[in-house]
């Protein structure tokens, strides 16, 4: 019996050769840290289902931002938890809202050394927990909602956000936000579209963290059906045509086929959001024993890059940076 000519193991025995032929990489510069800022608390509070993740006060958030800068993380994405909610979610576009205040404070603290990305959605701000305003039948009213996303975007950009990230999966939301920003003279503010966002059970811990669990029903009338891969490309294409600057697929791990498709179909910069449930799952697995946290997290995030993600929104951003620094 003859051996094949090619012997892949020749390139695996020597660590320098392994590193020379490595096809994907992971670095601090690829990561965005999601953060929660609450105006309903006096001191930062750990999210029970997400050990190591906190609801921050504006001041403790400044420390987190400074830490991110020191670690080489290029940006954070901000989720706000208001002290008061109403049916419209009107504190989302309030100049004195929790996100707007945090943005101004962060900009003052970190200058231009960190990208400030503002999640633009209403679920944290509505008393019913849905991502938009409701019709009399209790459905989310698409067109009334995108007008509110547009107002929210303008107020966030005026408060200092570099990038607006609409996450509500309403039809036409990117176009509505783009034209409102342009009309307000905010042509330089970029849009990161949650272009293919699936109705996922992996958002469970986030809904505790952001206090935005829907009070009735679910989000399946606006977020995508997890079964649909081709439809994801149509969703992304609409956002590209509407003027999205940056694209995103969410969640990450269970949807890497969609990430790969998106990479092959579109040239725009592409991100993935490794969501709260992915974080909780890996933490719980490691705490239960059997999974080595560092190795598992580095492997899963490398897999997101291998699938084609240019950047990753991940609650592990700081841990990953520390581990990469240790490894040298
Ligand atoms: C909606 C929003 C959600 C997440 C980000 N933006 C929750 C949802 O759609 O129910 C989830 C993020 C995560 O799970 O980490 N504003």
């Amino acid at each position: 019996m003859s051996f094949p000519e090619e012997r892949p193991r020749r390139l695996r025995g020597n660590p320098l050769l392994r590193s020379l032929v490595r096809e994907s990489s992971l670095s601090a510069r690829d990561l965005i840290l999601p953060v929660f800022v609450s105006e309903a608390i006096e001191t930062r509070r750990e999210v029970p289902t997400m050990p190591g993740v906190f609801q921050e006060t504006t001041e403790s958030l400044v420390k987190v931002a400074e830490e991110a800068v020191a670690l080489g993380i290029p940006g954070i994405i901000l989720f706000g938890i208001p002290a008061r909610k109403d049916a419209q979610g009107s504190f989302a576009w309030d100049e004195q809202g929790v996100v707007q205040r945090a943005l101004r404070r962060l900009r003052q603290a970190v200058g231009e050394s960190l990208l400030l990305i503002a999640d633009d959605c209403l679920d944290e701000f509505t008393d019913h927990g849905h991502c938009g305003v409701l019709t009399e039948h209790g459905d989310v009213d698409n067109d009334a909602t995108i007008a509110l996303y547009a107002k929210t975007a303008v107020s966030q950009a005026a408060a200092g956000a570099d990038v607006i990230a609409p996450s509500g999966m309403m039809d036409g939301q990117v176009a509505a936000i783009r034209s409102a920003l342009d009309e307000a003279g905010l042509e330089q503010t970029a849009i990161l579209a949650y272009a293919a966002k699936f109705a996922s059970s992996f958002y469970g811990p986030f809904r505790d963290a952001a206090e935005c669990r829907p009070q009735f029903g679910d989000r399946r009338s606006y977020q995508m059906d997890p079964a649909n891969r081709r439809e994801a490309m149509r969703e992304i294409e609409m956002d590209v045509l509407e003027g999205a600057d940056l694209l995103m697929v969410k969640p990450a791990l269970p949807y890497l086929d969609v990430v790969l498709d998106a990479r092959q179909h579109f040239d725009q910069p592409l991100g993935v959001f490794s969501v709260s449930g992915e974080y909780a799952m890996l933490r719980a697995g490691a705490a239960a024993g059997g999974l080595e946290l560092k190795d598992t997290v580095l492997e899963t995030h490398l897999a997101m890059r291998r699938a084609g993600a240019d950047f990753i929104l991940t609650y592990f951003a700081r841990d990953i940076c520390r581990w990469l620094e240790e490894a040298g």
Side-chain angles (χ1 to χ4, degrees), residues 121 123 167 197 203 206-207 219 223 250 275-276 315:
C121 198
D123 57 328
S167 65
K197 175 175 175 178
Y203 306 150
F206 175 96
R207 293 177 187 170
R219 305 211 201 286
Q223 299 178 349
K250 175 185 175 183
V275 301
S276 58
Y315 300 96

Side-chain angles (χ1 to χ4, degrees), residues 34 36 50 77 79 119-124 129 131 165 167-168 194 197-200 202-207 210 212-214 219 222-223 250-251 273-279 315:
F36 300 100
M50 301 178 75
I77 179 162
F79 296 95
D119 183 82
D120 181 355
C121 198
L122 296 178
D123 57 328
E124 297 92 348
C131 295
S167 65
Y194 284 71
K197 175 175 175 178
F198 291 86
S200 174
F202 283 89
Y203 306 150
F206 175 96
R207 293 177 187 170
C212 63
R213 204 167 283 283
R219 305 211 201 286
Y222 39 104
Q223 299 178 349
K250 175 185 175 183
F273 198 141
S274 182
V275 301
S276 58
E278 298 174 53
Y279 178 88
Y315 300 96

Side-chain angles (χ1 to χ4, degrees), residues 11-41:
L11 302 181
R12 293 187 193 142
N14 178 328
L16 290 174
L17 266 179
R18 278 204 301 275
S19 122
L20 187 69
V21 301
R22 191 162 292 140
E23 298 173 33
S24 314
S25 65
L26 185 64
S27 88
R29 285 283 161 208
D30 309 322
L31 307 176
I32 302 287
L33 176 69
V35 295
F36 300 100
V37 59
S38 170
E39 63 182 353
I41 53 175

Side-chain angles (χ1 to χ4, degrees), residues 33-48 50-65 67 81 318 322:
L33 176 69
V35 295
F36 300 100
V37 59
S38 170
E39 63 182 353
I41 53 175
E42 299 290 327
T43 49
R44 71 201 291 253
R45 186 163 86 194
E46 194 167 27
V47 180
M50 301 178 75
V53 173
F54 290 78
Q55 288 184 345
E56 307 288 348
T57 64
T58 308
E59 287 316 304
S60 69
L61 180 63
V62 168
K63 292 208 188 76
V64 172
E67 199 187 344
I81 302 139
R318 283 172 293 175
R322 288 191 204 104

Side-chain angles (χ1 to χ4, degrees), residues 24 37 61-62 69 94 106 122 129 147 153 155 164 205 209 230 252 254 261 282 290 294 304 323-324:
S24 314
V37 59
L61 180 63
V62 168
V69 172
D94 188 333
L106 286 169
L122 296 178
S155 78
I164 305 298
R230 294 189 304 270
D261 278 354
L282 293 177
K294 170 176 135 184
M304 296 167 207
W323 291 325
L324 293 175

